[in-house]
Amino acid sequence: MEIVTALREGDQRLTRWMAAWESDWARRCLPPVEEAAEHTKLWWGAAVVMAAGGGWRGSKAAVAGVTSMAAAELVSNGVVKQLVERRRPPKEWIPHDDVEDRPDSSSFPSGHTAAAVAFTAAVALSWPWIGAACAIPAVLVAVERVHSGAHHPSDVAAGAAIGLAAAALVRAAARLLIRLSGLKVSP
């Protein structure tokens, strides 16, 4: 039980610290990142740009990213949030006005982070340089979820784990389907 207590206390300390982060950069950059990530607009936009301008590699990366993102959202929002009831961080932990605009759903896990990490990881497996570029907004989404008071850091960590698992699962499923169909496709 001591481990669980220590984890809760650490989660609380990190939430308070991140939410209290007073930085002009954070105040200017994080709200637009949250808006772009809402309803996965950011990732759909990236997929369209990759598919339109990246040839075969871009299309492959876009399909992998969108498929992984959908799988991560299904697991995080459609399954885990329904099974785990967790309140958002208390308003008194969040010293700024962003705390008023939070969802009513379970805090655990962060669906935004799951989608961001799934998309980014899947893209990185197909097109590493573009995946590295996607990692920047993905990290910003994760930071924003805690800074705004929408999630505890452990919610974000769970979302990231779901995203990584979704990307790995989609890649494995695609390879299995290709192998079963007998197609010859380069890695």
Side-chain angles (χ1 to χ4, degrees), residues 8-172:
R8 281 191 190 134
E9 289 172 359
D11 216 21
Q12 178 181 348
R13 279 193 306 276
L14 190 53
T15 300
R16 286 176 180 254
W17 178 75
M18 288 181 72
W21 186 26
E22 289 296 327
S23 161
D24 289 337
W25 178 86
R27 293 277 183 227
R28 282 193 311 267
C29 293
L30 294 179
V33 167
E34 192 275 333
E35 176 61 32
E38 196 67 30
H39 305 294
T40 63
K41 294 180 289 201
L42 175 62
W43 312 114
W44 280 102
V48 167
V49 169
M50 283 186 282
W56 165 250
R57 189 177 212 179
S59 295
K60 179 181 170 186
V63 167
V66 168
T67 304
S68 296
M69 178 178 66
E73 285 202 303
L74 176 66
V75 171
S76 65
N77 297 335
V79 177
V80 180
K81 274 190 189 285
Q82 308 309 313
L83 297 173
V84 179
E85 184 76 26
R86 185 177 194 189
R87 292 185 175 178
R88 304 283 170 170
K91 290 182 179 184
E92 56 270 11
W93 292 5
I94 316 301
H96 51 76
D97 295 336
D98 296 345
V99 74
E100 299 304 324
D101 187 26
R102 299 187 307 170
D104 293 329
S105 61
S106 175
S107 179
F108 187 87
S110 169
H112 284 81
T113 304
V117 170
F119 183 88
T120 300
V123 167
L125 291 169
S126 298
W127 202 357
W129 287 106
I130 299 301
C134 289
I136 295 165
V139 168
L140 291 174
V141 166
V143 168
E144 184 281 330
R145 301 315 290 159
V146 178
H147 184 265
S148 68
H151 289 285
H152 302 272
S154 57
D155 301 335
V156 169
I162 289 168
L164 289 172
L169 181 64
V170 165
R171 183 169 177 96

